[in-house]
């Protein structure tokens, strides 16, 4: 919102520099985000009156213009078409800084001889002054400025770019901001004189007003102005509108806009002759009722919207936009002026539903006091009489079914201290509130102030609202800075937060980069993870209002996001290791979805960065056992024992995948992506994945585990090479061996098939560690167990020792 | 016999002098001191000699054995020294591979995402002030996102919290279901479920229905904080936030507290830090203001406490909400929000 400081200063006197006014407003809640100074650098440029225009002796298109500057006269050479005797212009002497209209840069004006005649300065265009881009002629100033005065004093202004918070509709007006400035500087506000003359006719004879929906319209005021002639509004008013960023239209529309900006009360002008039955009815719209709004669009209304109607039809969508059927046009002579109060929720709903944001709507939906309707309509009526050439019919119709007596709010010095942590005296509190327009009286105790809220403030309801008023006007800087001094509350850390940290530490140590993805995904891309069924087992949650279809569904798994990141990085050199720790969202009937924390990691490319020590021309690629090794490392670090079994995850390679089982439950999966999936995602090389559900894993992780004695007696290592059927799972071998006493560890150090091993068989070379806590093992003891092991392996798996 | 011994000694001494590696030395040891060595044979053959001779030869034989053992010992140490020397020297043949400026064997390097690093750092700062970390759902009831936080229905105060709605029906009166627009929803849940005294911080993902550009994203992270106790004041809020800003942005960083509006607090506060580029002089980053807004805060609105079952006449409370991306954006000069969730390794490897 662009606000002219000159305009504010029309209602409040302040000599503070603009930056300081901006700072105080900002600190007190109405943020000034930018300060634009108009007239900055206009040193020496003054107002002058043209006293003579003579032809240039050597050029047809140029003139010699004599300008009276009060104490002196100067003659300049001018090429503008709009020079005329008596016109008021901006005169720049030699040495003034002006904008070069061709380059846009600032230049110092030099004395120049133009076609043989010396030009002593110049008359400036708007563009040369930096006011606008207009360079078609020189700037002609309105009458009333004193000749010889600095232009900066006449036209200079400071524009505040403001952000007003939604609780302060009063600050969406110049007078409201003037009140803030007054409270912050100790000044007083002068309201404009809004008196006008009236004819003898009574308004009640011309219009009747009925409110059928008082819950949506607490007050409706109207005045009637006859004999209007539509024309331009005065230049000063146009300038005010332009300073705010509004386009002047005609005197009537400009006056309603001007008063809305001045007072904050939206107004609407009807062409009285177009109202059927001399009637205004404020009622709910019929379901499906239609109206063509001022912008020419046909709107279909609903029964929870409010309309202004005449005897026959709706003539405006209340508070949102007028109707074309009652619009003020060139021919309009009689105006019915509306100043009303509408239910803010209803206006917000209507504006949002019809998608018709407007300045009026923005003010109504924030909640304007019904008390504001009267001062605003008087001011606008006065301006219409003055600048619309009209006569005002006697009286203002005022239908006010929603009158509410203001409820005073009480606050004590104790409450102020309880909230702010600093003591303010009763006098300080009362003084501050009085500055803001509150009427204060003593309360039931010495420390209590009872304050009646001024009508323009709709945001004060409870004592703490008054505490904020005191704090923001006195200044937050006056509140001390202390540290919380009470004992620290009992802490119970959510275990899953600790688990996430540990996983992150391990994975980054393994060379993984953590990623974070947008959990909103596209369904078609998601379906590419399912090369057979072409869709996930259960449908993911959909957004009712997605931004784009690329972000329409909440991810039902994490792999879609990690895979997308793999795709994004497929041109990266060297190994790519990515993981994400994040939620997936699984629908539950009638309830919020189950948000499951997942870990998903992927790796692809060469196993190592290029190095001169490895034969990296053909770098070894990652394989399934890299992914599995990472899972084993993660789980070992957490003290979790897992088993692995073949599994059937559709996204993964049918044989290169394993379920991760802990305590008999599947907690995740590890495997190579199905070639059809990598192809669908346009990734040339294999990608390996691991995925673990954190809630499934969490119960098996331990806060701490007890110390285990370091073995005091040496272990004995024995290597055996077994020949088993090629299809026999190593896990079965391990399970048998580990089932024997003395065995503390089994490590596999070779897997072989080919020469020296019969077809259909494989050789597994294992190192078995034997150990006892209470004595050094003898060969005999170990031999005995080894024989038993070999016997069982032979019986159950048909294993033989490799010769 | 004796001559044989002296001959042996001389021969052994002569041979060992020429040995320069451990393998040859070992075979020398086996030849002269091993179980099947000549010296062992001589010692075994003593039995056939006369007592006199046996004494004399035996004594010499043992002397020889000791002498040879000494020589072996010397030689072993000599070789060890030499090999140690050798390992420190650069062999001409190995000169190329011995170049110490060659790169080392690559070990993988990984990193936490910048957002995770930031959350961890922020949580540590607040943990040191007694705040514990809690988390809440991202897919949330309308109630905790809005009504519980004193957002009236159909009110423009909701305009800044443009919401994604989830297409899922529920008869729950706290519905409909949405994607939370701020982590303040977690505060609403904490107020309802925990007993004072409370000190928590709540980091997490949030969502807003906004077109994605350099400063807006449909997904972003926020960290909300909440303290509830008897006697908590706005002065405590200022102190807590000031401490955070100093710890994150630097010891001598100035801060500014000004009045702002959020429906769930009263009085409302916005905190800014002195511009990190111009230190208050005014520059492009701070739009000439000299200050950078970094968070919103305030004293928790009595209505919010009351709805969560905490008596506002007994307890006071403060709350704050910090946009997480802005922290590293300011600290490291990251100028585009989209970089955070684009997962480009060229970005991830920088932090
Ligand atoms: Zn700056």
């Amino acid at each position: 919102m662009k606000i002219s400081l000159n305009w504010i200063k029309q209602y409040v006197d302040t000599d503070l520099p603009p930056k300081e006014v901006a700072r105080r407003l900002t600190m007190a809640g109405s943020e000034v985000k930018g300060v634009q100074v108009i007239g900055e650098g206009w040193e020496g440029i003054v107002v002058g009156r043209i006293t003579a225009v003579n032809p240039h002796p050597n050029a047809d298109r140029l003139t010699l213009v004599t300008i009276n500057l009060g104490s002196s006269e100067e003659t300049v050479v001018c090429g503008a078409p709009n020079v005329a005797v008596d016109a008021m212009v901006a005169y720049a002497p030699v040495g003034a800084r002006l904008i070069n209209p061709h380059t846009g840069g600032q230049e110092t004006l030099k004395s120049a001889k133009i076609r043989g005649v010396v030009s002593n300065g110049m008359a400036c265009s708007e563009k040369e002054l930096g006011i606008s881009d207009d360079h078609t002629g020189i700037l002609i100033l309105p009458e009333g400025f004193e000749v010889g005065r600095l232009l900066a004093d006449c036209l200079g202004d400071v524009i505040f770019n403001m952000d007003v918070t939604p609780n302060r509709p009063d600050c969406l007006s110049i007078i409201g901001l003037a009140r803030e400035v007054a409270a912050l500087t100790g000044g007083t506000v002068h309201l404009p004189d809004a008196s006008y003359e009236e004819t003898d006719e009574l308004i009640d004879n011309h219009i009747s007003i009925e409110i059928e929906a008082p819950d949506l319209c607490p007050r409706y005021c109207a005045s009637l102005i006859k004999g209007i002639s539509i024309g331009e509004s005065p230049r000063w008013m146009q300038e005010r509108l332009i300073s705010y960023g509004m386009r002047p239209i005609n005197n009537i529309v400009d006056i309603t806009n001007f008063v809305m900006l001045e007072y904050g009360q939206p107004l609407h002008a009807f062409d009285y002759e177009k109202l059927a039955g001399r009637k205004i009815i404020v009622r709910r719209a019929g379901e499906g009722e239609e109206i063509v709004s001022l912008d020419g669009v046909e709107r279909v209304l609903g029964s929870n919207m409010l309309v202004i109607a005449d005897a026959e039809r709706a003539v405006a969508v209340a508070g949102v936009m007028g109707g074309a059927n009652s619009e003020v046009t060139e021919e309009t002579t009689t105006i019915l002026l509306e100043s009303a109060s509408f239910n803010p929720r209803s206006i917000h709903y209507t504006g949002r539903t019809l998608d018709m944001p407007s300045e009026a709507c923005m003010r109504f939906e924030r909640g304007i006091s019904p008390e504001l309707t009267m001062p605003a309509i008087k001011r606008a009526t006065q301006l219409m009489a003055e600048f619309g050439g009209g006569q005002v019919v006697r009286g203002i119709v005022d239908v006010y079914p929603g009158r509410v007596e203001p409820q005073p709010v009480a606050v004590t010095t104790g409450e102020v201290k309880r909230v702010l942590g600093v003591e303010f005296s009763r006098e300080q509190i009362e003084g501050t509130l009085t500055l803001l327009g509150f009427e204060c009286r003593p309360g039931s105790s010495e420390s209590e102030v009872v304050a009646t809220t001024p009508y323009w403030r709709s945001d004060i309801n409870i004592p703490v609202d008054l505490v904020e008023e005191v704090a923001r006007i006195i200044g937050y800087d006056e509140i001390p800075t202390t540290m919380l001094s009470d004992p620290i509350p009992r802490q119970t850390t959510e275990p899953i937060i600790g688990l996430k940290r540990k996983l992150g530490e391990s994975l980054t140590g393994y060379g993984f980069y953590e990623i974070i993805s947008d959990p909103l995904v596209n369904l078609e891309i998601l379906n590419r993870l399912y090369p057979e069924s072409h869709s996930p087992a259960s449908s993911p949650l959909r957004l009712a209002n997605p931004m784009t279809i690329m972000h329409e569904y909440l991810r039902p798994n994490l792999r879609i996001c990690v895979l997308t990141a793999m795709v994004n990085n497929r041109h990266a050199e060297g190994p790519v290791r990515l993981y994400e720790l994040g939620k997936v969202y699984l629908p539950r009937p009638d309830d919020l979805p189950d948000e499951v924390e997942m870990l998903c990691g992927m790796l692809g490319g060469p196993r190592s960065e290029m190095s001169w020590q490895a034969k990296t021309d053909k770098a070894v690629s990652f394989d399934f056992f890299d992914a599995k090794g990472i899972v084993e490392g993660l789980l070992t670090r957490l003290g979790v024992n897992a088993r692995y079994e073949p599994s059937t995850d559709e996204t993964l390679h049918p044989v290169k995948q394993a379920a991760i089982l802990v305590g008999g439950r599947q907690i995740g999966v590890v495997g190579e992506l199905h070639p059809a999936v990598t192809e669908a995602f346009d990734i040339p090389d294999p990608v390996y994945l691991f995925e673990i559900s954190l809630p499934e894993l969490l119960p098996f992780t331990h806060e701490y585990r007890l110390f285990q004695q370091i073995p005091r007696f040496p272990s004995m290592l024995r290597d055996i090479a077994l020949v088993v059927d090629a299809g026999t799972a190593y896990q079965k071998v391990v399970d048998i061996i580990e089932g024997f006493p003395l065995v503390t560890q089994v490590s596999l150090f070779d897997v072989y098939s080919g020469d020296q091993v019969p077809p259909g068989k494989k050789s597994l070379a294992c190192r078995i560690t034997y150990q006892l806590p209470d004595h050094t093992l003898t060969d005999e003891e170990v031999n005995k167990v080894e024989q038993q092991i070999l016997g069982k392996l032979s019986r159950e798996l048909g294993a033989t020792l490799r010769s | 016999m004796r001559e044989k011994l002296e001959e042996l000694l001389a021969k052994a001494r002569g041979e060992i002098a020429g040995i320069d590696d451990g393998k040859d030395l070992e075979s020398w040891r086996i030849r002269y001191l091993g179980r099947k060595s000549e010296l062992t044979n001589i010692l075994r053959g003593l039995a056939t000699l006369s007592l006199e001779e046996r004494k004399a030869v035996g004594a010499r034989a043992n002397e020889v054995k000791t002498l040879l053992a000494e020589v072996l010992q010397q030689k072993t140490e000599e070789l060890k020294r030499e090999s140690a020397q050798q390992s420190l020297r650069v062999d001409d043949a190995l000169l190329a591979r011995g170049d110490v400026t060659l790169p080392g064997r690559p070990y993988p390097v990984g990193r936490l995402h910048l957002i995770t690093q930031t959350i961890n750092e922020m949580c540590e700062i607040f943990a040191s002030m007694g705040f514990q970390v809690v988390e809440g759902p991202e897919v949330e009831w309308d109630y905790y996102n809005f009504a519980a936080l004193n957002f009236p229905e159909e009110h423009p105060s909701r305009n800044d919290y443009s919401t994604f709605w989830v297409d899922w029906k529920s008869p729950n009166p706290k519905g409909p279901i949405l994607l939370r627009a701020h982590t303040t929803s977690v505060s609403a849940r904490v107020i309802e479920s925990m007993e004072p005294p409370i000190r928590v911080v709540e980091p997490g993902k949030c969502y807003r229905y906004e077109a994605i550009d350099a400063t807006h994203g449909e997904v972003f992270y926020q960290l909300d904080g909440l303290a509830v106790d008897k006697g908590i004041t706005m002065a405590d809020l200022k102190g807590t936030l000031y401490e955070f800003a100093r710890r994150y942005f630097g010891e001598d960083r100035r801060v500014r507290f000004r009045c702002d509006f959020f429906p769930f607090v009263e009085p409302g506060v916005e905190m800014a830090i002195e511009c990190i580029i111009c230190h208050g002089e005014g520059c492009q980053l701070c739009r000439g203001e000299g200050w950078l807004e970094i968070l919103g805060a305030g004293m928790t609105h009595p209505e919010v406490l009351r709805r969560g079952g905490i008596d506002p006449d007994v307890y006071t409370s403060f709350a704050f909400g910090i946009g997480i991306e802005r922290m590293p954006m300011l600290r490291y000069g990251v100028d585009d929000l989209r970089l955070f969730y684009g997962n480009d390794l060229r970005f991830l490897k920088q932090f």
Side-chain angles (χ1 to χ4, degrees):
Chain A
M1 188 172 71
K2 286 162 74 186
I3 297 296
S4 152
L5 182 59
N6 277 359
W7 197 358
I8 292 178
K9 283 182 168 178
Q10 201 176 320
Y11 312 102
V12 62
D13 300 320
T14 174
D15 295 329
L16 287 177
K19 285 229 156 182
E20 178 59 16
V21 176
R23 192 190 70 82
R24 291 194 191 183
L25 281 170
T26 299
M27 295 299 280
S30 296
E31 188 181 8
V32 180
K33 293 200 301 188
V35 177
Q36 183 200 351
V37 181
I38 295 175
E40 201 166 32
W42 287 353
E43 278 95 30
I45 300 175
V46 294
V47 176
R49 184 185 295 278
I50 297 179
T51 53
V53 179
N54 293 306
H56 191 289
N58 308 320
D60 288 347
R61 292 190 303 106
L62 299 179
T63 49
L64 301 182
V65 178
T66 306
I67 304 172
N68 176 4
L69 304 170
S71 53
S72 64
E73 263 195 0
E74 298 288 354
T75 299
V76 302
V77 178
C78 190
N82 61 337
V83 289
V85 171
D86 270 352
M88 303 287 285
V89 297
Y91 166 79
V94 169
R97 301 278 296 165
L98 291 174
I99 291 169
N100 180 325
H102 307 294
T103 64
Q106 273 226 334
E107 285 174 15
T108 302
L109 183 61
K110 296 186 191 101
S111 172
K113 208 178 229 184
I114 301 168
R115 295 278 185 113
V117 179
V118 174
S119 182
N120 237 332
M122 67 185 285
C124 309
S125 72
E126 289 193 18
K127 187 162 187 181
E128 284 158 339
L129 292 166
I131 297 173
S132 78
D133 274 345
D134 189 359
H135 191 57
T136 55
I138 56 168
L139 167 67
I140 304 295
L141 297 168
E143 285 296 320
F145 292 134
E146 191 187 327
V147 166
R149 245 187 113 188
L150 284 175
L151 184 70
D153 290 348
C154 307
L155 283 196
D157 198 353
V158 174
I159 303 295
F160 288 168
N161 182 10
M162 297 199 67
D163 235 4
V164 171
T165 55
N167 60 326
R168 294 296 303 274
D170 59 308
C171 287
L172 293 175
S173 72
I174 303 298
I175 289 175
L177 290 168
R179 288 195 180 105
E180 283 287 291
V181 172
L184 291 165
T185 59
T188 48
V189 174
H190 340 285
L191 294 180
D193 172 28
S195 60
Y196 50 86
E197 292 197 353
E198 296 175 326
T199 64
D200 292 337
E201 302 171 84
L202 276 177
I203 189 167
D204 292 339
N205 296 336
H206 294 273
I207 190 82
S208 76
I209 289 170
E210 193 183 323
I211 299 178
E212 284 185 4
D215 54 328
L216 301 186
C217 178
R219 189 178 194 184
Y220 196 101
C221 300
S223 65
L224 192 68
I225 307 106
K226 285 183 152 183
I228 290 282
S229 54
I230 304 292
E232 276 200 16
S233 59
R235 179 157 177 110
W236 61 263
M237 187 182 287
Q238 292 188 12
E239 278 168 4
R240 293 301 192 212
L241 295 179
I242 290 168
S243 77
Y244 184 84
M246 274 185 170
R247 199 165 47 88
I249 293 169
N250 61 42
N251 48 0
I252 300 305
V253 174
D254 290 358
I255 287 167
T256 58
N257 283 333
F258 176 83
V259 175
M260 173 176 72
L261 299 183
E262 192 179 40
Y263 279 79
Q265 168 70 47
L267 304 164
H268 186 66
F270 294 101
D271 184 333
Y272 171 76
E273 309 293 344
K274 294 178 186 163
L275 297 176
R278 296 183 166 188
K279 243 187 158 164
I280 287 287
I281 303 166
V282 186
R283 60 164 170 84
R284 284 181 159 78
E287 196 63 50
E289 184 171 356
E290 289 173 5
I291 183 171
V292 177
S293 51
L294 277 176
D295 51 8
V297 180
E298 188 168 286
R299 311 281 178 173
V300 181
L301 308 176
S303 60
N304 37 15
M305 297 177 184
L306 190 71
V307 293
I308 311 301
D310 61 16
E312 291 165 6
R313 71 227 154 124
V315 292
V317 182
V320 177
M321 203 181 272
N325 53 17
S326 55
E327 189 182 359
V328 172
T329 63
E330 296 285 310
E331 287 74 42
T332 301
T333 56
T334 307
I335 296 287
L336 181 82
L337 182 62
E338 163 199 292
S339 177
S341 171
F342 300 115
N343 179 300
R345 283 173 59 176
S346 160
I347 299 290
H348 186 260
Y349 169 82
T350 306
R352 195 168 56 79
T353 309
L354 298 179
D355 192 21
M356 293 166 83
S358 67
E359 290 283 336
C361 190
M362 177 178 84
R363 286 170 174 77
F364 279 127
E365 67 186 12
R366 282 163 168 74
I368 309 169
S369 164
E371 289 297 312
L372 187 59
T373 53
M374 195 52 86
I377 199 170
K378 285 184 177 163
R379 170 67 164 159
T381 305
Q382 173 218 24
L383 291 170
M384 285 190 188
E386 189 173 348
F387 299 104
Q391 302 93 47
V392 181
V393 174
R394 182 172 299 277
I396 290 174
V397 186
D398 183 6
V399 187
Y400 198 174
R403 185 192 295 273
V404 180
E405 286 305 318
Q407 292 297 313
V409 181
V411 69
T412 61
T413 55
E415 181 64 10
V416 172
K417 177 154 195 244
R418 189 172 86 103
V419 175
L420 301 180
V422 59
E423 184 106 41
F424 289 118
S425 69
R426 209 179 71 99
E427 288 69 30
Q428 274 175 298
I429 295 167
E430 214 176 282
T432 308
L433 293 175
T434 307
L435 274 177
L436 285 163
F438 288 82
E439 278 177 33
C440 298
R441 58 182 165 82
S444 55
S445 73
E446 265 297 291
S447 64
E448 193 179 58
V449 178
V450 178
T452 303
T453 308
Y455 72 81
W456 56 85
R457 291 295 299 272
S458 50
D459 60 320
I460 306 292
N461 302 299
I462 53 174
V464 75
D465 293 332
L466 295 179
V467 176
E468 180 180 73
E469 292 305 301
V470 171
R472 72 183 187 89
I473 298 299
I474 291 178
Y476 284 4
D477 287 346
E478 298 304 309
I479 296 168
T481 300
T482 58
M483 293 303 287
L484 288 166
S485 51
D486 294 316
I488 291 175
R490 203 161 60 90
Q491 308 275 310
T492 45
T493 309
E494 292 179 36
I496 203 155
I497 295 174
L499 177 59
K500 284 192 279 186
R501 276 209 187 198
K502 282 180 194 163
L503 290 169
E505 279 167 16
S506 291
L507 285 164
T508 51
Y510 296 156
F512 277 78
Y513 283 88
E514 187 193 15
I515 61 164
I516 295 179
S517 313
D518 185 342
L520 300 173
V521 298
N522 171 271
L523 187 61
E524 189 271 321
I525 296 176
L526 184 65
N527 288 344
R528 290 185 211 164
L529 292 175
Y530 308 94
E532 279 162 35
S533 58
H534 304 294
S535 69
S538 60
S539 353
L541 274 179
R542 202 183 80 85
L543 295 182
N545 60 333
M547 233 19 240
T548 75
I549 60 157
M550 291 310 291
H551 304 275
E552 189 178 2
Y553 287 85
L554 278 158
R555 64 183 175 207
N557 59 51
L558 203 47
R559 55 180 71 168
I560 183 62
C561 291
V562 185
L563 185 53
T564 303
M566 291 299 283
V567 174
N568 293 346
N569 288 293
R570 67 184 179 277
H571 300 303
E573 293 229 356
V576 177
R577 302 181 190 86
L578 303 176
Y579 80 93
E580 181 158 10
L581 274 166
K583 289 172 167 181
V584 299
Y585 312 83
L586 310 175
R588 286 188 292 205
D590 292 342
D591 203 350
L592 296 178
D594 194 9
E595 295 184 12
V596 184
E597 293 270 9
M598 295 294 294
L599 163 67
C600 179
M602 287 193 194
L603 50 169
R607 186 176 289 146
S608 167
E609 299 285 347
M610 188 161 69
S611 164
W612 58 277
Q613 279 159 316
K615 299 273 174 284
T616 47
D617 306 351
K618 289 182 202 162
V620 185
S621 294
F622 286 120
D623 64 24
F624 172 82
F625 295 100
D626 286 290
K628 189 177 175 195
I630 288 155
V631 172
E632 288 168 334
L634 288 177
L635 296 180
T636 303
R637 156 83 211 274
L638 296 167
V640 174
N641 292 316
R643 297 171 63 85
Y644 301 85
E645 281 180 2
S647 58
T648 55
D649 187 315
E650 193 186 335
T651 308
L652 302 179
H653 190 293
V655 295
K656 294 181 191 167
Q657 61 167 303
I660 307 166
L661 299 154
V662 178
R665 292 174 65 87
Q666 180 171 354
I667 65 156
V669 68
V670 53
E672 179 182 329
L673 288 189
H674 197 294
V677 173
T678 41
E679 198 192 318
F681 282 87
D682 202 15
I683 301 179
D685 301 316
V687 171
Y688 301 89
L689 160 152
F690 54 91
E691 206 173 59
I692 292 173
S693 158
L694 270 48
E696 291 286 353
L697 169 62
L698 189 63
F700 301 101
T701 60
H702 304 280
E703 272 292 284
Y704 56 86
R705 26 180 56 220
L706 289 176
F707 168 66
Q708 304 257 305
Q709 281 298 339
I710 294 163
R712 287 167 54 209
F713 298 95
S715 59
M716 197 177 286
L717 306 180
R718 289 286 176 86
D719 294 348
I720 55 172
L722 296 165
V723 176
V724 293
D725 285 346
T728 302
Y730 170 68
Q731 185 70 49
K732 289 187 174 164
V733 175
V734 176
D735 287 348
I736 288 174
I737 300 174
E738 283 185 339
F740 281 87
L742 313 193
V743 175
T744 55
Q745 200 182 339
V746 184
S747 315
L748 181 71
F749 63 90
D750 192 27
V751 179
Y752 178 77
S753 61
D755 289 351
Q756 300 161 9
V757 174
K761 301 275 183 184
K762 67 181 171 189
S763 155
L764 300 170
C766 305
R767 170 163 296 176
I768 304 173
T769 309
Y770 299 91
Q771 198 162 36
L772 276 180
D774 55 359
H775 69 271
T776 304
L777 286 168
T778 63
D779 275 337
E780 289 70 36
E781 282 174 297
V782 173
N783 287 345
K784 201 175 142 202
V785 175
E786 194 178 82
Q787 283 315 309
Q788 289 169 348
I789 290 173
L790 291 173
K792 191 165 184 191
L793 287 171
S794 164
R795 278 195 308 279
E796 299 194 1
L797 302 177
T800 56
L801 270 184
R802 186 171 163 192
S803 48
Chain B
M1 226 39 163
R2 285 194 73 125
E3 298 77 45
K4 232 176 164 184
L5 266 178
E6 298 310 322
E7 223 171 85
L8 186 73
L9 180 61
K11 199 173 155 213
R13 277 179 161 160
E15 272 180 28
I16 203 168
I19 287 176
D20 62 0
D21 91 9
K23 226 170 155 188
D24 293 347
L25 188 62
E26 178 63 8
S27 54
W28 181 92
R29 187 190 67 80
I30 292 165
R31 208 155 51 243
Y32 293 102
L33 289 168
R35 274 190 286 177
K36 292 174 185 167
S37 68
E38 229 171 306
L39 186 62
T40 310
N41 283 341
I42 290 171
L43 286 169
R44 281 204 193 110
L46 285 180
T48 60
L49 297 181
S50 67
L51 183 68
E52 200 91 328
E53 246 183 340
R54 202 190 299 173
K55 259 189 182 166
V57 176
R60 183 57 186 163
N62 276 321
E63 269 173 35
V64 168
K65 193 177 178 181
T66 312
L67 282 171
L68 288 180
E70 275 170 15
V71 175
L72 175 66
Q73 173 81 13
Q74 275 167 17
K75 191 68 188 181
T76 307
E77 275 167 22
E78 191 184 309
L79 284 185
K80 219 188 247 173
R81 272 198 306 276
E82 252 172 45
S83 119
Q85 292 273 313
Q86 185 69 31
S87 73
L88 294 176
R89 271 200 304 274
V90 175
D91 187 313
D92 272 359
L94 291 172
L95 192 60
R97 295 177 69 84
D99 174 2
V100 296
T101 66
L102 289 174
R105 241 177 224 102
Y107 274 72
V109 175
R111 288 174 197 272
L112 293 176
H113 194 281
L114 184 52
I115 292 294
T116 307
Q117 292 179 37
T118 307
I119 291 176
N120 289 350
E121 184 175 350
M122 291 168 77
C123 289
E124 271 160 32
I125 293 172
F126 284 111
S128 73
M129 293 187 268
F131 288 80
Q132 85 172 72
V133 181
V134 297
E135 293 178 345
E138 293 169 25
V139 185
E140 185 55 284
W141 302 114
D142 178 87
Y143 176 76
Y144 292 110
N145 197 68
F146 288 127
L149 294 170
N150 200 33
F151 283 83
E153 258 179 67
E154 292 293 351
H155 191 269
S157 56
R158 292 186 179 208
N159 290 359
D160 289 342
Y161 301 79
S162 31
T163 310
F164 279 117
W165 300 96
V166 178
D167 186 13
W168 194 253
K169 297 282 170 281
S170 162
N172 193 315
K174 288 178 175 171
I177 297 173
L178 47 71
L179 301 187
R180 69 177 175 204
H182 48 185
T183 42
T184 321
S185 59
V186 186
S187 294
R189 284 175 173 270
V190 165
I191 289 170
E192 199 178 80
S193 62
M194 287 171 75
E195 295 289 328
I198 298 168
R199 265 184 234 179
V200 293
V201 283
E202 306 137 351
K205 277 196 187 79
C206 303
Y207 303 80
R208 300 245 172 112
Y209 183 81
E210 275 173 358
I212 299 168
D213 64 22
T215 52
H216 297 86
E218 57 180 21
V219 179
F220 61 98
Y221 273 80
Q222 216 178 15
L223 179 138
D224 261 70
L226 176 77
V228 187
D229 204 347
K230 290 174 185 164
I232 284 185
T233 69
M234 198 155 141
D236 298 328
L237 170 64
K238 281 182 70 177
T240 303
L241 295 179
Y242 183 42
E243 180 66 13
F244 165 72
R246 285 190 342 169
R247 297 265 294 272
Y248 190 86
F249 288 106
E251 203 55 34
D252 50 359
R253 185 73 48 197
R254 290 194 303 147
V255 301
R256 180 188 80 177
F257 295 91
R258 56 170 284 264
C259 178
D260 203 349
F261 169 76
F262 308 97
F264 39 91
V265 288
E266 185 80 11
V269 176
E270 177 220 84
M271 184 172 86
I273 57 164
E274 187 182 67
C275 178
I276 52 166
I277 303 272
C278 66
H279 295 275
E281 296 293 312
C283 70
Q284 211 166 3
L285 177 68
C286 59
R287 295 187 317 237
E289 299 297 300
W291 296 99
L292 299 165
E293 299 165 11
I294 62 164
L295 62 89
M299 300 303 290
T300 311
H301 198 286
E303 195 52 38
V304 173
L305 293 178
R306 195 173 289 121
R307 277 182 211 185
I310 292 177
D311 184 350
D313 293 330
V314 177
Y315 293 99
T316 47
S317 163
F318 68 66
F320 55 86
I322 310 175
I324 288 178
E325 289 84 355
R326 191 156 164 79
M327 303 291 114
M329 283 177 106
L330 291 176
R331 196 198 253 179
Y332 304 109
V334 178
D335 59 0
D336 192 328
L337 201 69
R338 288 167 289 199
L339 288 167
F340 287 108
Y341 310 113
N343 296 326
D344 187 323
L345 274 169
R346 292 167 296 181
F347 176 76
L348 300 173
K349 286 185 174 179
Q350 289 186 38
F351 301 100

